[in-house]
């Protein structure tokens, strides 16, 4: 697990340096301007930028490769240790639900996930409106419904990271840890992996403001990790469902609106607003799972 995390961070940093040195960020900004769209983390936006501004191709490719660092790290770890057997074990989890769970129960879990995560986004939107109204925009439209499948299945971060976090790291930790502790460790690893690309928190907000923002961000990611584990295990260790949950939490459909934090206080509060529904949900789901069972907690390599 430590080797995997170190490789994922190293790849992210190296690709990030290449991204900055090639001026890729400027090319992407010009592509977004020519396309007349705002930045979004979904793959449809990436394709639109490249189509209208081909010069952004390198930048988009580097950005996607950077996001994919956790998945790429799995291949490197497999090369070092585990080989094809490890890759088959990770690949076997790339499913909407397991055979043991079955389609009927699996579909019910997916419907529950969409409802629960959309409700969490709405609650966060209400908290944003109450606490960071000056930096918050929220426009309801039918496009939100159309974008939900995009958020679930085409969010770049979700699609290109989850074979690492839930396909590999979580089932590896289940060899020696219980589901809650394993979820917390994955949550901290997942959150801290983001830190290098969030260096601008310190340039924008200073040392203490940057630390406050990253602390709030980490709380959100750790709480989200626990909730994802609950549904992931219930669906039979289904990486596709983890991708959907990750994507819904990133909320490219803007169900919970959008905060453009201009101060560290606004940015930190907005992260805590996103965290609160998942913290409450985790406090409900963990005791419930301890009583009734978490679901499939088979460790990696037990196939």
């Amino acid at each position: 697990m430590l080797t995997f995390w170190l490789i994922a961070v190293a790849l992210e940093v190296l690709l990030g340096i290449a991204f900055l040195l090639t001026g890729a960020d400027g090319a992407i900004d010009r592509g977004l301007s020519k396309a007349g769209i705002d930045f979004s983390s979904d793959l449809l936006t990436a394709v639109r930028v490249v189509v209208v501004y081909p010069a952004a191709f390198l930048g988009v490719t580097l950005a996607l490769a950077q996001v994919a660092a956790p998945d790429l790290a799995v291949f490197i770890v497999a090369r070092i240790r585990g080989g094809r057997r490890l890759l088959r074990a990770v690949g076997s989890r790339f499913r909407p639900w397991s055979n043991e769970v079955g389609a009927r129960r699996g579909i019910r879990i997916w419907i529950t996930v969409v409802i629960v995560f959309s409700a969490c986004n709405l609650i966060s939107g209400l908290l944003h409106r109450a606490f960071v109204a000056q930096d918050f925009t929220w426009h309801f439209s039918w496009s939100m419904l159309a974008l939900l499948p995009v958020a679930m299945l085409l969010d770049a971060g979700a699609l290109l990271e989850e074979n690492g976090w839930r396909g590999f790291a979580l089932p590896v930790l289940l060899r020696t840890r219980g589901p809650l502790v394993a979820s917390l460790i994955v949550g901290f690893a997942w959150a801290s992996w983001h830190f290098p690309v969030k260096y601008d928190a310190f340039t924008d907000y200073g040392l203490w403001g940057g630390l406050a923002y990253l602390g709030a961000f980490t709380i959100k990611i750790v709480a989200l990790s626990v909730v994802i584990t609950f549904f992931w295990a219930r669906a039979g260790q289904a990486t596709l469902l983890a991708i959907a949950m990750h994507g819904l939490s990133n909320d490219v459909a803007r169900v919970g609106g959008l905060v453009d934090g201009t101060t560290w206080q606004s940015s930190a509060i907005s992260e805590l607003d996103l965290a609160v529904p998942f913290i409450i949900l985790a406090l409900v789901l963990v005791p419930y799972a301890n009583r009734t069972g978490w679901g499939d907690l088979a460790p990696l390599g037990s196939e």
Side-chain angles (χ1 to χ4, degrees), residues 68-279:
D71 281 16
L72 295 173
V74 173
F75 285 95
I76 298 175
V77 170
R79 182 76 175 178
I80 298 171
R81 181 179 180 183
R84 292 183 179 178
R85 182 181 177 187
L86 186 150
L87 291 178
R88 283 196 298 269
V90 173
S92 69
R93 289 167 168 78
F94 196 78
R95 57 196 178 190
W97 50 75
S98 67
N99 291 333
E100 293 74 17
V101 170
R104 179 175 296 181
R105 186 178 169 206
I107 291 171
R108 288 202 301 268
I109 294 172
W110 274 76
I111 292 171
T112 301
V113 160
V114 173
I115 293 171
V116 167
F117 275 68
S118 297
C120 287
N121 288 336
L122 286 170
I123 292 169
S124 294
L126 292 173
L127 293 172
H128 292 330
R129 191 166 66 179
F131 296 110
V132 288
Q134 70 281 3
D135 296 318
F136 180 56
T137 55
W138 203 4
H139 303 293
F140 287 99
S141 70
W142 289 108
S143 64
M144 288 181 177
L145 293 177
L147 285 173
L148 276 179
V150 175
M152 293 167 61
L153 301 173
L154 291 177
D155 181 85
L159 190 60
L160 300 176
E161 293 178 28
E162 282 301 325
N163 278 307
W165 304 127
R166 251 61 59 169
F168 172 78
L170 182 55
V172 163
L173 287 168
L174 289 174
R175 292 174 175 175
T176 56
R177 301 287 189 272
L180 178 58
V181 174
S183 301
L184 295 175
I185 294 173
V186 170
F188 279 112
W190 181 17
S192 59
W193 172 80
H194 285 84
F195 290 174
V197 296
K198 292 185 176 292
Y199 67 90
D200 55 345
F202 296 103
T203 59
D204 292 343
Y205 306 139
L207 175 61
W208 296 112
L211 289 174
Y213 165 74
L214 290 178
F217 172 80
T218 300
I219 291 171
K220 178 192 73 174
I221 293 294
V222 171
L224 178 59
S225 179
V226 175
V227 173
I228 288 178
T229 295
F230 175 84
F231 290 109
W232 170 86
R234 290 269 162 158
Q237 299 197 8
T239 302
L240 279 176
L241 182 60
I243 287 170
M245 290 185 281
H246 188 155
L248 286 169
S249 70
N250 284 346
D251 194 22
V252 299
R254 304 299 182 216
V255 173
L258 180 64
V259 175
D260 184 13
T262 55
T263 65
W264 71 263
Q265 293 93 334
S266 176
S267 294
I269 290 171
S270 71
E271 292 295 333
L272 292 176
D273 290 343
L274 293 167
V276 165
F278 290 108
I279 292 172

Side-chain angles (χ1 to χ4, degrees), residues 13-57:
V13 171
L14 291 173
L15 289 165
I17 292 172
F19 183 85
L20 293 174
L21 292 178
T22 58
D25 51 342
I28 290 176
D29 287 341
R30 289 190 291 274
L32 289 168
S33 178
K34 284 182 175 291
I37 55 178
D38 295 324
F39 172 80
S40 183
S41 61
D42 63 279
L43 294 179
L44 292 182
T45 297
V47 171
R48 290 174 66 185
V49 167
V50 172
V51 167
V52 301
Y53 190 62
F57 176 79

